[in-house]
């Protein structure tokens, strides 16, 4: 038979088609709640340099996911060391992005939350005297909220004075806040 050849046909250069790769990141957690998709991933969207400058070990990143059905949270845990003259304190930072509203967070934590702002953005300062050495700031975002929760682990049994529980956390949150609603790929 004329025109038949053995072997596989190879497309000519004009026939080869480049398949575009997507620059949109698939979220780690999605839910069927109808709430907005969480677009800020604390493990991926905070530059390592910013975390290193703030005293966090970027090698300690630990992703955390909380698919709850009617809402979701994705998060990241970090370890760090804060050097204070005469005292060395270890601490942990959890950053959670959730598709719940700031109003829902306030209703849940109204007894420990105080309304505030971070770089002009609505936020809640949450200090629970039952959760010693801890402080949290929940910041409103386009998709819901981002909660920055820090716990001190002092190297002594006296604990940390309550007025120091939140010391420096507002500055860290202020440095990350501009990244919350940026398009992330």
């Amino acid at each position: 038979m004329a025109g038949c050849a053995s072997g596989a046909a190879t497309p000519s250069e004009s026939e080869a088609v480049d398949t575009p790769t997507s620059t949109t990141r698939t979220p780690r957690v999605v839910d069927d709640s109808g709430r907005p998709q969480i677009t800020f991933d604390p493990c991926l969207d905070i530059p390592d340099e910013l975390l290193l400058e703030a005293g966090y070990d970027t090698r300690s990143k630990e992703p955390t996911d909380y698919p709850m059905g009617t809402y979701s949270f994705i998060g990241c845990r970090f370890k760090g060391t804060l050097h204070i003259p005469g005292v060395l304190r270890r601490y942990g930072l959890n950053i959670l992005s959730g598709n719940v509203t700031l109003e829902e967070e306030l209703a849940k934590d109204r007894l420990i939350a105080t309304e505030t702002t971070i770089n002009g953005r609505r936020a809640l300062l949450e200090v629970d005297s039952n959760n010693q050495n801890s402080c949290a700031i929940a910041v409103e975002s386009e998709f819901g909220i981002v909660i920055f929760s820090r716990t001190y682990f002092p190297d002594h049994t006296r604990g940390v004075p309550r007025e120091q529980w939140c010391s420096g956390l507002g500055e860290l949150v202020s440095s990350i806040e501009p990244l919350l609603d940026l398009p992330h790929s």
Side-chain angles (χ1 to χ4, degrees):
M1 285 197 212
C4 291
S6 64
T10 57
S12 69
E13 212 173 289
S14 61
E15 292 176 280
V17 177
D18 286 333
T19 304
T21 56
S22 173
T23 59
T24 303
R25 179 175 61 222
T26 303
R28 287 195 327 237
V29 174
V30 293
D31 58 47
D32 297 327
S33 67
R35 292 175 182 260
Q37 178 177 308
I38 300 167
T39 57
F40 179 76
D41 185 330
C43 280
L44 299 175
D45 298 329
I46 301 172
D48 284 350
E49 299 78 32
L50 193 152
L51 290 164
L52 287 168
E53 187 175 304
Y56 291 93
D57 180 358
T58 56
R59 297 169 298 173
S60 71
K61 285 183 186 180
E62 182 183 330
T64 56
D65 300 332
Y66 303 96
M68 306 301 277
T70 58
Y71 61 89
S72 295
F73 281 92
I74 61 172
C76 201
R77 293 183 186 146
F78 303 92
K79 294 177 184 173
T81 302
L82 178 63
H83 298 277
I84 297 177
V87 180
L88 177 65
R89 296 186 183 147
R90 292 174 297 115
Y91 55 97
L93 176 69
N94 291 321
I95 304 174
L96 294 170
S97 295
N99 57 358
V100 299
T101 66
L102 193 66
E103 288 77 16
E104 288 172 303
E105 180 71 7
L106 179 58
K108 179 180 73 75
D109 288 340
R110 70 183 173 280
L111 298 177
I112 62 166
T114 304
E115 293 188 58
T116 188
T117 60
I118 298 291
N119 297 340
R121 192 187 292 249
R122 291 181 59 216
L124 300 172
L125 175 62
E126 300 176 340
V127 182
D128 182 355
S129 58
N130 294 321
N131 193 5
Q132 189 176 30
N133 300 333
S134 295
C135 180
I137 297 176
V139 181
E140 189 172 48
S141 70
E142 289 178 0
F143 57 82
I145 61 173
V146 179
I147 301 171
F148 300 82
S149 175
R150 185 186 65 196
T151 302
Y152 278 124
F153 300 103
D155 58 353
H156 51 77
T157 58
R158 296 180 310 276
V160 179
R162 184 181 170 114
E163 59 273 3
Q164 291 182 14
W165 293 1
C166 299
S167 180
L169 183 59
E171 291 80 6
L172 174 65
V173 175
S174 291
S175 68
I176 297 172
E177 177 276 332
L179 306 172
L180 300 185
D181 295 322
L182 293 177
H184 302 282
S185 56

